[in-house]
Amino acid sequence: MASTNNVTELIFTGLFQDPEVQRVCFVVFLPVYLATVVGNGLIVLTVCISKSLQSPMYFFLSYLSLAEISYSSTVVPKFITDLLAETKTISLEGCLAQIFFFHFFGVAEILLLVVMAYDRYVAICKPLHYMNIMSRQLCHLLVAGSWLGGFFHSIIQILVTIQLTFCGPNVIDHYFCDLQPLFKLACTDTFVEGMTVLANSGLISVCSLLILVSSYIVILVNLRNHSAEGRRKALSTCASHITVVILFFGPAVFLYMRPSSTFMEDKLVAVFYTVITPMLNPIIYTLRNAEVKIAMRRLWSKKNSGMA
């Protein structure tokens, strides 16, 4: 950290200013976060234990759920506790750590979604070669690549940010640390740094979205050669994944494809992708997937029989 920094502590303005509204938000968002951890954790546990969910699709799903828990946990616990605090503070080092892990798990999740799209492409377009192509070794390499991609992305964002100096004010117009709100507090012009981090995030997001869209166009075209039953099963599996992709990229497009602002709707959209979406993903995958539901019932039955 540069020695000219006068700011050691930052203050969040929060989501709302009214204490009553903040208390209502606490009552609403705490169960949502707990549901996120329990729901995604249950998917990870079920895939690890169940012998019927050992295919690459569920292997990737378990890591996606793990990324969801981690991604939400970088922001939501602090956000929830701040709802009951009069002054919402965080150290500058803590702010940088939050930015690092938020981007790390977020990009890892994007890359895992791309990996899952590739898995569906191979399963539907090259079914006879599926098990040879999607070997256990390749699956581990793809997951490791997703985590490494998130790590290198976050390192670049942090290396750009730590070059800046912060000499006041120290109030962030948000409820968590992110790059653009933090850049507004820098003593110097941040145009170059802002463009660098935007290009870093934008390149990954745009390339990933193009790959995802292309993959599903190819899959949908290829499905014309399948039987009616084969199309139904493939579309059922893909629908869950497409829904998650839309929920993930929709808010990002809203926030990053228009000029930076302090609009209240920016914070509300951020609540959607940090608090709501991670809770919805396990619901989407379990409600539309009979195999996961059956495996969860078996796990629950074993637990009850073991307690009897």
Side-chain angles (χ1 to χ4, degrees), residues 170-192:
N170 67 333
V171 178
I172 294 183
D173 188 17
H174 216 309
Y175 64 88
F176 71 97
C177 282
D178 205 359
L179 292 164
Q180 294 304 328
L182 182 62
F183 280 7
K184 291 179 182 179
L185 307 184
C187 305
T188 55
D189 180 67
T190 59
F191 176 78
V192 174

Side-chain angles (χ1 to χ4, degrees), residues 14 34 43 52 102 114 152 165-166 224 235 247 297 299 305:
L34 293 176
I43 288 179
S52 63
F102 180 71
V114 173
F152 286 123
T165 55
F166 302 94
R224 294 184 302 176
L235 285 172
L247 287 173
R297 288 195 197 103
L299 186 66
S305 61

Side-chain angles (χ1 to χ4, degrees), residues 221-266:
V221 170
N222 191 271
L223 280 176
R224 294 184 302 176
N225 303 322
H226 287 61
S227 65
E229 177 64 18
R231 281 197 299 269
R232 186 193 65 78
K233 288 184 68 177
L235 285 172
S236 177
T237 303
C238 292
S240 299
H241 192 211
I242 292 171
T243 303
V244 170
V245 168
I246 292 171
L247 287 173
F248 192 93
F249 281 95
V253 170
F254 176 85
L255 287 176
Y256 291 105
M257 294 299 112
R258 63 190 187 87
S260 177
S261 67
T262 56
F263 294 154
M264 184 61 193
E265 51 262 37
D266 283 10

Side-chain angles (χ1 to χ4, degrees), residues 200-217:
N200 187 19
S201 297
L203 187 64
I204 292 174
S205 299
V206 171
C207 290
S208 298
L209 188 57
L210 288 175
I211 293 170
L212 287 164
V213 171
S214 302
S215 298
Y216 281 105
I217 288 173

Side-chain angles (χ1 to χ4, degrees), residues 85-300:
E86 287 188 20
T87 306
K88 312 169 200 327
T89 61
I90 189 171
S91 67
L92 185 57
E93 291 78 8
C95 182
L96 292 173
Q98 191 177 61
I99 290 172
F100 174 83
F101 287 109
F102 180 71
H103 282 263
F104 170 46
F105 293 119
V107 169
E109 188 174 343
I110 289 174
L111 297 178
L112 283 169
L113 288 172
V114 173
V115 166
M116 292 174 76
Y118 174 70
D119 173 68
R120 290 301 84 206
Y121 162 77
V122 175
I124 293 168
C125 300
K126 301 178 184 293
L128 297 179
H129 305 285
Y130 178 69
M131 294 312 296
N132 288 329
I133 295 173
M134 299 304 295
S135 64
R136 180 60 68 175
Q137 183 181 13
L138 179 62
C139 290
H140 281 100
L141 284 173
L142 290 172
V143 169
S146 299
W147 292 112
L148 280 174
F151 176 78
F152 286 123
H153 163 79
S154 291
I155 283 291
I156 292 170
Q157 306 293 67
I158 291 299
L159 287 177
V160 170
T161 306
I162 62 175
Q163 304 303 316
L164 301 174
T165 55
F166 302 94
C167 46
N170 67 333
V171 178
I172 294 183
D173 188 17
H174 216 309
Y175 64 88
F176 71 97
C177 282
D178 205 359
L179 292 164
Q180 294 304 328
L182 182 62
F183 280 7
K184 291 179 182 179
L185 307 184
C187 305
T188 55
D189 180 67
T190 59
F191 176 78
V192 174
E193 289 83 0
M195 292 304 295
T196 301
V197 298
L198 186 63
N200 187 19
S201 297
L203 187 64
I204 292 174
S205 299
V206 171
C207 290
S208 298
L209 188 57
L210 288 175
I211 293 170
L212 287 164
V213 171
S214 302
S215 298
Y216 281 105
I217 288 173
V218 172
I219 288 171
L220 291 172
V221 170
N222 191 271
L223 280 176
R224 294 184 302 176
N225 303 322
H226 287 61
S227 65
E229 177 64 18
R231 281 197 299 269
R232 186 193 65 78
K233 288 184 68 177
L235 285 172
S236 177
T237 303
C238 292
S240 299
H241 192 211
I242 292 171
T243 303
V244 170
V245 168
I246 292 171
L247 287 173
F248 192 93
F249 281 95
V253 170
F254 176 85
L255 287 176
Y256 291 105
M257 294 299 112
R258 63 190 187 87
S260 177
S261 67
T262 56
F263 294 154
M264 184 61 193
E265 51 262 37
D266 283 10
K267 294 182 186 179
L268 294 175
V269 171
V271 168
F272 185 79
Y273 66 74
T274 57
V275 183
I276 307 300
T277 300
M279 179 202 66
L280 293 177
N281 286 357
I283 297 173
I284 293 166
Y285 279 111
T286 54
L287 287 180
R288 297 190 62 88
N289 193 305
E291 286 182 310
V292 174
K293 286 191 284 188
I294 291 168
M296 283 185 173
R297 288 195 197 103
R298 286 175 181 166
L299 186 66
W300 183 254

